[in-house]
Amino acid sequence: MATDTATERAAETTANTDGAWQAGVASGLVAGAVMGVMLTMRMRPVIEHAIPALWGLDGGFAGWVIHMVNAAVFGLVFAAIATTPRFRTPTDSVGTSALVGVGYGVLLWVVAAVLVMPVWLQAVGFPMAPPVPNVNPTSLMGHAVFGLVLGALYPVVRNR
């Protein structure tokens, strides 16, 4: 009896996580591309100088590569969250997953853009480092759109 229950739970867990990380990475990359275009259009110095400066680099190509790697990683983290019991059901449908994604994007903005990025840029001596906290409405919009696209695409890609 205990073996049957454990086997059923293991099968259920596998069924609930199949394709999750791939969907997270793929959705993160698409969401990152959308946000990257927004950054390029509205906050060009961020993508060309600030993001690459985090790693001692400069230029738009380096900024885009780093931004897209971050997008893939953040998509993977979203997938890890989406496979937890609390978020498994909400991230099964496009609408609720998109809402979870917006919340996730806002959380990323607070942690990564408002707090971590300005501290890191100051630590590496970037001359145009923003103050801490770096509350920027355009950045908030970009992160919310990232989350929206990520959350909306995740169940579509995962269930294909």
Side-chain angles (χ1 to χ4, degrees):
M1 179 85 171
T3 305
D4 290 340
T5 304
T7 303
E8 288 171 8
R9 271 188 259 152
E12 181 181 317
T13 299
T14 301
N16 287 327
T17 59
D18 278 351
W21 75 266
Q22 296 95 329
V25 170
S27 300
L29 288 171
V30 173
V34 171
M35 182 183 178
V37 169
M38 291 177 68
L39 283 173
T40 300
M41 292 172 55
R42 302 285 316 244
M43 301 176 77
R44 186 175 296 264
V46 172
I47 196 92
E48 290 183 354
H49 305 292
I51 291 173
L54 296 168
W55 299 100
L57 302 170
D58 192 43
F61 180 75
W64 264 92
V65 169
I66 294 164
H67 171 72
M68 293 304 290
V69 168
N70 288 340
V73 170
F74 289 142
L76 188 60
V77 171
F78 182 84
I81 293 167
T83 58
T84 63
R86 177 177 174 109
F87 289 102
R88 192 172 296 136
T89 301
T91 57
D92 280 342
S93 77
V94 172
T96 54
S97 185
L99 289 175
V100 170
V102 170
Y104 178 69
V106 171
L107 178 64
L108 283 178
W109 174 72
V110 170
V111 173
V114 172
L115 301 172
V116 172
M117 191 169 175
V119 169
W120 191 340
L121 287 170
Q122 289 173 14
V124 298
F126 183 63
M128 296 177 288
V132 180
N134 180 28
V135 177
N136 182 307
T138 304
S139 176
L140 171 59
M141 180 61 68
H143 284 84
V145 168
F146 171 83
L148 176 73
V149 173
L150 171 65
L153 282 180
Y154 175 77
V156 174
V157 174
R158 184 170 170 210
N159 296 325
R160 64 172 180 87

